Amino acid sequence: MHFYIVALLFAIAGTFVAAGVSCFLPGLHVYNVMGFVVLFYLPFIDVVEPFLMLMFLAGMVTGFGILFTISTIYYSAPDDTTAFYFMPTQKYLMVGRGHEAAMFAGIGGLMGLFALVIILPFFMGFLATLRELVGPHIHWLLGSIIAFLLISEWPREYGRSKMHMFDLDMSYKGDLDKGRIPEALKTGISEWKKPLGRDVVITKPRNFEWEIGDGRRTYIIHETSPLKDTTTGEFKSPPRLMVLNRTPKWYRLKEAYKSNAAGVLTFALASWLGMLVFFKTMVPPDRAFQTLMPTFVGLFATSAIVLAFISRVKVPKQHLAKCYDLDTETIAKGSGSGALAGIFAAFIPAVTPGVSGTLGGNATGLRDDKIFIMNGGTNRVVYYVGAIALFLLPLLHLRRGGMAINVNLFFVPQTTEQFLLITAAIAICGFISFVMLIYASKFVAKLVERIQYQYLNLIVLCIIIAIIFLMTSWQGLGLMFVATMIGLVPVMWNSRRLNLLAVILVPIWLNMAGVGPMIAEMMGLA
Amino acid sequence: MKGFTHFLCGIAVATAFGLAVDAAAEHMAQIIILGGIFGYMPDFLDFKVARFLEDYDYEVDPTLEGDINAQRIAELFVEAIHKARDTGKYTNIKFNTMKIGADTWRQYGIMVDNENKRIIVKIGPLVTTGKSPIPETTPPDEEGIGVAHYDAELEHTYEAWTYADIMSGPDYGLVPQPKEGNIRLDFIPWHRKWSHSLTCGLAVAPFGLLAYLGISWLFAGSDWVFNPELAVVVFMICLYAYWLHVIVDQFGVMGSNLFPPFTKKRSQGLSLFHSGLSIANFGTNWISVAVILYNLNYFADERVFGTNPVKYFVLTTIIPLTILVLIRYFWLKKTRPKQEDDKEEQKFLEKIDEIMEYGSGDNV
């Protein structure tokens, strides 16, 4: 058989493996699967030509890029790259449009593959120049990204300026209207705060509100609105007199920043975990190459599963649409911004699609769930598949992240022909993956309807725990448990999940800035 | 402009200082980051600090009441308008959001129907923090709509719904204008009041210098030596990045108060676009990246490409952006009917865009 055909068959086989893992072993990260495949391959390196193995991995990565959206949407098991569009896809799932969300991400992925196969080769000279230029500056680039992530999180509470102290009986309303201060009000205030002074004045600056003060302190008595049932005419909620205290400004800031504090805590804990994993071998030494696996699975997948499990989510009947409401403009905006974000992530170390997608969304000012999901689909495909394409791209041969660690063990890129063959394989595998996505998504959409979602989550959790134990022993399970607890902080306190990516950003930034070992020593890790 | 756009502009400013680029390349210095932080700072001060320090004459707080009454909210707004009319004093009103659960909020909309002199309030559905409505949670119209009529001349031309749904809600300032004989309705009046000014930049920039000195001392320990030249550069980076934010915002509709406390009012912007416009943000970011790359090359020990600025910016910036603008122009001409937005409407849109910056992945 012709070598090209054999190579393409290897790539297609990789795609089928990715499909199986994405649909039946949710939560696994592509680079961890890749690590195991390479581990099994190395003894057979003389039997199977390295380039064929690379084709297999290229097919696998392409399949993962397109099909992993199944795990994210239907099993609530995102990874670090799909966590970016996890929330909008969950919204779609909860209104019975999970399949539609999967298709948007899939179409985004196809557009990403198109960009890689057709457009990327024209930019090899530019990318080589860019690498040479920004190489010495990656450390502050990462620092800038971290700074932006930290300062750009919005306070999610509204900083209330009044605080409820106690209720006053409605019978006192007449006294208030006549300008008399009921004794019950004075007593109530003195039980909560310091008693009012002698010169107490009562005013009515607004309808339904009185203010009582002694010149130093002011309290508000607010009459709540009575709500009537329109059919019976009866009060649904009778009016009350609420005694309110005007909150000081620092209190409003404190209240507003509760979720941000959770965000900073998440960032700090994830950074600590990252430093721990980078500077200490937490799993058995022979599995050291899988150290990040339990960490990522814990931070992103198991935490989401645990939340879905305890929140007793009921997945509604899924509508399997035959056509999708997508216009050219949405596709162009979603995939354009996603492709830029993906290539940025593929190019800059430690930047994953979650981070680059956020930056890309901010940079282009795009705001729409469909664009967001498409952007995510394009972004992760360009990131994963782009890592292989950039590795083989003549003039560049960029070695980045988990892909480079695995592939460097057995393969050195040499010819332009190899690059062209890989791009052909990526295009073919992308098409096959997309077709598989259509059917796999429909199949799993029916599955989540039939099997109670809680059971499904439990099954997924058991599968993940078993895999982690098999791959990294009980130490890995411990690491996953800690990571899960940290992963739950943002979901429980409604802060930004993206802060979890500090697990990789911070240690790499500190190392590149030359202070990593020093800080590890300060933390007692080295 | 979006926060990220200002951040990137600040980075571009920082890379214009050869000493900063050199320190970054040779000594792993992180000074350039300060440019980004101070480029973002004016919006940080407004949206993340000032808005929570504002005191309100009138405040709608459904969370506190535990219930929501559309008619009462409409009447309260009218009461505030009448108070401003009768007292001739500035009056403000805040519409707090109603939080139902950890990720659930009750949406309500407010519309100033100036033509018919009425305030309309409509209770909407429950929404998630991502603003996704939860099906079948909108109350029936007889319970969910409130209308109250006002008797005053309002200067407000944007007749569309403003929503209070997630996080902090919208607020209005009612400014009596005796000369014009009306009341101006200012949306989020605390925005660009003092933070988006050149004087505030001067006041804030020294904090950047202090941060730099503190952190460098922390890491250098006993080896720390004060470098006056670098200190001046750090101060300049913080100041110019902050100022550039103020200047870039002048291209929008809203403008800002440039020299408080010496000036009191917001000056009008150049009205070239409103700040949330995708292409404006993308274009500005493109220019910033081009400037950053030019500067990194210019100050590198061994330059990677030629440094003719005219040739460089024509090739990397002017040609691509012109093509992009032309594509957008012809695309819009083909797909959308011509819209004549008036300036007030644009100004309102700009404010809505800025207050709604949350999104685009921020909720991840």
Side-chain angles (χ1 to χ4, degrees):
Chain A
M1 203 184 288
H2 195 280
F3 180 74
Y4 283 7
I5 294 172
V6 176
L8 288 175
L9 287 175
F10 262 79
I12 292 167
T15 305
F16 277 93
V17 170
V21 176
S22 296
C23 298
F24 301 110
L25 295 173
L28 272 185
H29 197 285
V30 59
Y31 287 154
N32 299 114
V33 181
M34 194 187 257
F36 270 89
V37 170
V38 171
L39 201 65
F40 286 119
Y41 164 69
L42 288 177
F44 303 99
I45 196 162
D46 296 331
V47 183
V48 180
E49 196 171 319
F51 185 71
L52 292 178
M53 194 59 212
L54 186 71
M55 290 294 275
F56 180 85
L57 294 180
M60 203 170 81
V61 167
T62 309
F64 254 106
I66 301 273
L67 285 151
F68 195 79
T69 193
I70 299 271
S71 265
T72 303
I73 297 174
Y74 296 108
Y75 303 134
S76 314
D79 67 2
D80 55 312
T81 60
T82 52
F84 170 61
Y85 62 87
F86 178 56
M87 275 175 69
T89 56
Q90 289 300 293
K91 273 191 249 168
Y92 269 74
L93 181 72
M94 287 307 146
V95 291
R97 296 168 66 187
H99 177 64
E100 217 176 316
M103 287 300 103
F104 291 160
I107 293 166
L110 273 188
M111 295 303 291
L113 292 179
F114 175 80
L116 282 175
V117 172
I118 308 289
I119 302 172
L120 187 68
F122 294 101
F123 286 88
M124 54 189 178
F126 168 73
L127 289 172
T129 307
L130 195 63
R131 184 174 63 164
E132 201 179 335
L133 188 60
V134 299
H137 297 279
I138 298 287
H139 59 94
W140 65 256
L141 208 57
L142 284 181
S144 302
I145 290 167
I146 291 170
F148 181 75
L149 292 181
L150 282 174
I151 62 172
S152 65
E153 183 165 11
W154 281 59
R156 302 202 175 195
E157 304 294 329
Y158 59 77
R160 191 180 297 135
S161 63
K162 290 179 212 161
M163 198 168 62
H164 182 217
M165 291 160 66
F166 59 93
D167 276 0
L168 198 64
D169 197 278
M170 271 303 285
S171 60
Y172 293 114
K173 190 187 166 190
D175 285 346
L176 294 170
D177 278 335
K178 287 172 191 161
R180 287 202 292 261
I181 301 163
E183 273 307 310
L185 179 59
K186 285 185 182 172
T187 317
I189 289 173
S190 58
E191 279 173 10
W192 277 80
K193 302 273 173 184
K194 282 181 185 170
L196 285 162
R198 285 183 184 176
D199 305 322
V200 184
V201 179
I202 185 162
T203 55
K204 193 175 184 190
R206 296 169 286 275
N207 277 333
F208 310 109
E209 272 187 3
W210 297 264
E211 277 186 8
I212 171 173
D214 59 1
R216 287 178 301 154
R217 292 183 299 274
T218 306
Y219 298 96
I220 298 160
I221 300 106
H222 176 84
E223 184 188 347
T224 64
S225 54
L227 276 187
K228 277 185 178 178
D229 190 311
T230 44
T231 47
T232 62
E234 287 176 5
F235 283 130
K236 276 199 321 195
S237 63
R240 304 184 285 147
L241 288 176
M242 297 168 79
V243 182
L244 310 170
N245 178 30
R246 211 176 265 282
T247 52
K249 293 179 180 194
W250 66 264
Y251 181 89
R252 289 178 228 165
L253 274 175
K254 190 185 91 175
E255 197 202 29
Y257 274 84
K258 271 193 296 196
S259 63
N260 281 51
V264 173
L265 177 71
T266 307
F267 187 90
L269 290 171
S271 304
W272 167 80
L273 187 66
M275 292 295 285
L276 190 74
V277 168
F278 272 76
F279 285 91
K280 289 252 180 202
T281 307
M282 301 299 295
V283 297
D286 60 325
R287 307 286 168 85
F289 69 102
Q290 294 285 18
T291 308
L292 274 175
M293 180 191 189
T295 317
F296 274 123
V297 167
L299 288 175
F300 297 101
T302 49
S303 57
I305 294 169
V306 167
L307 186 79
F309 190 72
I310 56 175
S311 59
R312 304 200 166 276
V313 172
K314 279 186 183 171
V315 176
K317 186 174 166 52
Q318 297 296 306
H319 171 66
L320 303 179
K322 285 180 182 161
C323 59
Y324 314 102
D325 181 22
L326 267 183
D327 55 37
T328 319
E329 195 177 339
T330 307
I331 295 175
K333 284 181 173 174
S335 53
S337 58
L340 281 176
I343 206 75
F344 181 72
F347 202 75
I348 307 291
V351 175
T352 60
V355 175
S356 68
T358 304
L359 300 180
N362 277 282
T364 49
L366 299 174
R367 200 190 300 132
D368 176 274
D369 275 347
K370 278 183 206 167
I371 292 179
F372 203 59
I373 296 171
M374 280 202 72
N375 176 312
T378 312
N379 183 350
R380 59 177 271 113
V381 165
V382 172
Y383 167 71
Y384 278 142
V385 184
I388 281 203
L390 291 176
F391 178 61
L392 286 163
L393 193 68
L395 299 181
L396 194 65
H397 300 309
L398 188 72
R399 286 171 172 81
R400 273 285 328 273
M403 199 281 305
I405 293 170
N406 289 305
V407 176
N408 264 340
L409 292 173
F410 65 89
F411 183 79
V412 178
Q414 285 161 329
T415 63
T416 308
E417 186 192 10
Q418 288 172 335
F419 172 73
L420 293 174
L421 200 52
I422 279 278
T423 50
I426 288 169
I428 292 166
C429 294
F431 175 75
I432 293 170
S433 306
F434 184 73
V435 174
M436 281 199 281
L437 177 70
I438 297 171
Y439 292 101
S441 171
K442 284 181 179 173
F443 170 75
V444 182
K446 283 180 183 163
L447 191 73
V448 292
E449 261 175 49
R450 285 183 194 151
I451 301 175
Q452 208 183 342
Y453 200 53
Q454 266 61 37
Y455 289 134
L456 195 67
N457 278 309
L458 197 61
I459 294 167
V460 172
L461 192 61
C462 291
I463 292 172
I464 288 177
I465 289 173
I467 292 168
I468 296 290
F469 180 73
L470 286 171
M471 289 186 172
T472 57
S473 185
W474 61 268
Q475 292 99 320
L477 272 186
L479 195 58
M480 186 188 82
F481 178 76
V482 173
T484 305
M485 293 297 115
I486 297 172
L488 280 172
V489 175
V491 283
M492 300 296 268
W493 278 275
N494 201 20
S495 63
R496 199 152 67 170
R497 222 188 175 99
L498 208 61
N499 288 315
L500 294 170
L501 285 170
V503 74
I504 187 163
L505 277 172
V506 170
I508 293 183
W509 170 52
L510 293 176
N511 275 338
M512 286 190 150
V515 292
M518 181 183 149
I519 289 178
E521 200 181 327
M522 282 161 66
M523 292 169 73
L525 299 173
Chain B
M1 286 291 176
K2 294 274 175 195
F4 182 76
T5 306
H6 289 303
F7 189 90
L8 210 53
C9 284
I11 296 279
V13 165
T15 57
F17 291 88
L19 202 58
V21 175
D22 194 46
E26 300 298 325
H27 308 291
M28 308 291 178
Q30 306 291 310
I31 301 167
I32 293 172
I33 302 171
L34 283 169
I37 294 172
F38 277 77
Y40 188 87
M41 189 64 76
D43 279 347
F44 184 93
L45 292 175
D46 263 0
F47 288 98
K48 293 167 189 182
V49 181
R51 71 186 310 184
F52 300 110
L53 303 180
E54 195 81 352
D55 285 320
Y56 296 98
D57 300 302
Y58 290 86
E59 207 170 342
V60 173
D61 197 343
T63 309
L64 198 64
E65 291 209 21
D67 215 334
I68 189 162
N69 182 328
Q71 185 60 34
R72 181 92 170 255
I73 296 170
E75 283 169 8
L76 198 72
F77 200 168
V78 167
E79 193 187 325
I81 294 169
H82 288 170
K83 189 185 175 192
R85 177 199 64 191
D86 296 341
T87 60
K89 285 182 182 170
Y90 173 79
T91 307
N92 58 2
I93 182 166
K94 170 83 189 265
F95 297 91
N96 283 311
T97 49
M98 186 176 192
K99 194 169 185 183
I100 307 285
D103 187 36
T104 320
W105 310 71
R106 168 68 72 184
Q107 184 187 71
Y108 63 99
I110 307 124
M111 185 162 86
V112 182
D113 177 7
N114 209 11
E115 200 180 325
N116 298 300
K117 296 200 171 203
R118 60 184 182 171
I119 302 291
I120 308 169
V121 174
K122 187 177 183 198
I123 314 292
L126 295 178
V127 296
T128 62
T129 309
K131 295 201 175 189
S132 177
I134 297 169
E136 294 168 23
T137 54
T138 309
D141 278 354
E142 59 271 23
E143 285 180 32
I145 291 185
V147 181
H149 290 266
Y150 57 83
D151 181 16
E153 292 302 322
L154 279 193
E155 186 190 311
H156 181 68
T157 52
Y158 187 73
E159 284 178 7
W161 291 97
T162 306
Y163 291 101
D165 39 33
I166 59 161
M167 301 193 282
S168 187
D171 58 300
Y172 288 94
L174 296 150
V175 190
Q177 302 186 119
K179 278 184 190 169
E180 289 85 354
N182 63 17
I183 298 167
R184 195 179 74 234
L185 197 58
D186 262 2
F187 183 64
I188 51 170
W190 38 265
H191 185 33
R192 301 196 187 176
K193 210 171 169 182
W194 51 267
S195 59
H196 287 58
S197 66
L198 302 179
T199 38
C200 188
L202 269 173
V204 168
F207 291 101
L209 176 60
L210 283 178
Y212 155 71
L213 292 175
I215 293 170
S216 60
W217 172 80
L218 196 72
F219 280 100
S222 55
D223 299 332
W224 187 73
V225 181
F226 178 68
N227 182 337
E229 205 181 351
L230 207 55
V232 170
V233 165
V234 168
F235 178 77
M236 293 301 213
I237 286 173
C238 298
L239 182 68
Y240 289 165
Y242 197 102
W243 280 0
L244 187 62
H245 183 132
V246 179
I247 292 164
V248 167
D249 274 352
Q250 303 308 313
F251 290 103
V253 190
M254 214 189 328
S256 68
N257 181 8
L258 286 172
F259 300 100
F262 311 109
T263 51
K264 305 282 180 199
K265 281 188 176 179
R266 281 200 290 235
S267 58
Q268 189 72 40
L270 293 172
S271 307
L272 296 181
F273 42 76
H274 69 85
S275 62
L277 197 67
S278 301
I279 195 159
N281 281 280
F282 183 75
T284 312
N285 288 325
W286 186 288
I287 294 168
S288 294
V289 171
V291 169
I292 291 168
L293 294 179
Y294 181 83
N295 287 338
L296 294 187
N297 181 57
Y298 187 83
F299 294 117
D301 286 342
E302 287 176 29
R303 289 176 184 159
V304 181
F305 53 81
T307 54
N308 179 343
V310 176
K311 191 178 166 191
Y312 175 83
F313 284 106
V314 165
L315 281 174
T316 62
T317 313
I318 295 171
I319 291 175
L321 288 184
T322 307
I323 292 170
L324 195 70
V325 168
L326 287 175
I327 290 172
R328 185 176 183 273
Y329 173 77
F330 287 113
W331 177 266
L332 289 184
K333 205 175 169 186
K334 192 179 156 190
T335 57
R336 285 181 199 170
K338 196 180 176 188
Q339 287 176 339
E340 290 288 343
D341 291 335
D342 78 15
K343 198 167 270 185
E344 281 303 312
E345 196 165 315
Q346 288 283 347
K347 196 187 278 187
F348 194 82
L349 278 173
E350 182 161 300
K351 289 183 178 181
I352 291 273
D353 271 324
E354 295 212 356
I355 202 167
M356 294 311 299
E357 179 165 325
Y358 158 81
S360 312
D362 223 15
N363 57 337
V364 177

